[in-house]
Amino acid sequence: MIDDSHPLADGVRLRPATLADAASFAVTLSRSRAHMRKWEPVRPEVFYTTEGQTARLTGLLADRDAGRAMPWVLADEEDLVVGAMTLASIERGPFRNARLGYWIDVDRAGRGLATAAVGRVCELARDGLGLHRIAAGTVVDNAASQRVLAKAGFELYGTAPRYLHINGAWRDHRMFQRILHDGPPEG
């Protein structure tokens, strides 16, 4: 696990997610639900509860412990969740790749937090995990997320038709990547 707590902006810091974050995730995701609906899969009601977030985090932390994922939270001055960043599908060997997912609380959106956090996650992926590449996809009309990725050094490399089931339908996605380094794989 990468042990990192990094200040970003507006009193928000990036730190590894813990099971103790479940209640805070439930509150923030509930508050941001309508705002994020068009970019997210349809979720069961339990997803927006402490119990649902405990189950989700338990799985993510097991994936972290197995080296398959790295979940972080963006935490405010009171250590409450105001966003999240997750590297998933981490692969080693010659690929050295992961997929990036992220979201920001509706009350904090548009302030540069996502861009700062994505940049920091890329540094941690390169320096702490030894990854070569990070991939990310956005629904084709999610211009705000595409701006975040572009500002964080990602490049568009294609469009994937009907890539993910989002907001009740299979949606086309724009696919982005950031090459973190060109050195040989470590280990």
Side-chain angles (χ1 to χ4, degrees):
M1 179 174 98
I2 297 173
D3 185 19
D4 181 71
S5 183
H6 183 78
L8 299 171
D10 292 337
V12 175
R13 70 188 198 296
L14 180 74
R15 65 162 175 77
T18 69
L19 203 51
D21 294 317
S24 186
F25 263 109
V27 169
T28 305
L29 286 166
S30 292
R31 179 177 53 242
S32 299
R33 186 176 186 174
H35 171 73
M36 295 191 316
R37 178 171 285 125
K38 58 192 213 177
W39 319 124
E40 289 284 310
V42 174
R43 309 274 193 194
E45 288 303 314
V46 70
F47 180 83
Y48 299 96
T49 67
T50 299
E51 296 76 20
Q53 289 304 303
T54 297
R56 187 183 70 81
L57 283 166
T58 297
L60 267 175
L61 296 175
D63 283 348
R64 178 204 63 204
D65 293 345
R68 295 185 299 263
M70 186 59 217
W72 288 275
V73 299
L74 280 71
D76 69 9
E77 302 89 346
E78 297 173 16
D79 205 33
L80 299 175
V81 174
V82 297
M85 301 274 149
T86 302
L87 288 178
S89 302
I90 295 173
E91 293 189 47
R92 304 296 180 173
F95 196 27
R96 305 301 259 195
N97 183 75
R99 286 184 299 113
L100 174 66
Y102 57 91
W103 60 270
I104 300 294
D105 180 10
V106 63
D107 294 340
R108 302 281 183 134
R111 298 183 189 179
L113 285 173
T115 301
V118 168
R120 181 62 181 148
V121 164
C122 288
E123 291 171 7
L124 293 168
R126 180 192 63 221
D127 300 338
L129 296 173
L131 297 181
H132 165 71
R133 175 183 179 270
I134 295 177
T138 71
V139 175
V140 294
D141 58 346
N142 189 345
S145 192
Q146 292 164 23
R147 278 191 304 275
V148 165
L149 293 170
K151 288 180 187 177
F154 283 71
E155 62 184 338
L156 176 67
Y157 71 90
T159 301
R162 297 175 304 282
Y163 183 67
L164 290 174
H165 200 264
I166 300 294
N167 195 23
W170 292 102
R171 309 280 180 192
D172 296 351
H173 278 60
R174 292 212 168 112
M175 306 305 293
F176 294 83
Q177 69 177 1
R178 179 170 167 184
I179 304 300
L180 303 174
H181 69 84
D182 283 325
E186 299 172 10

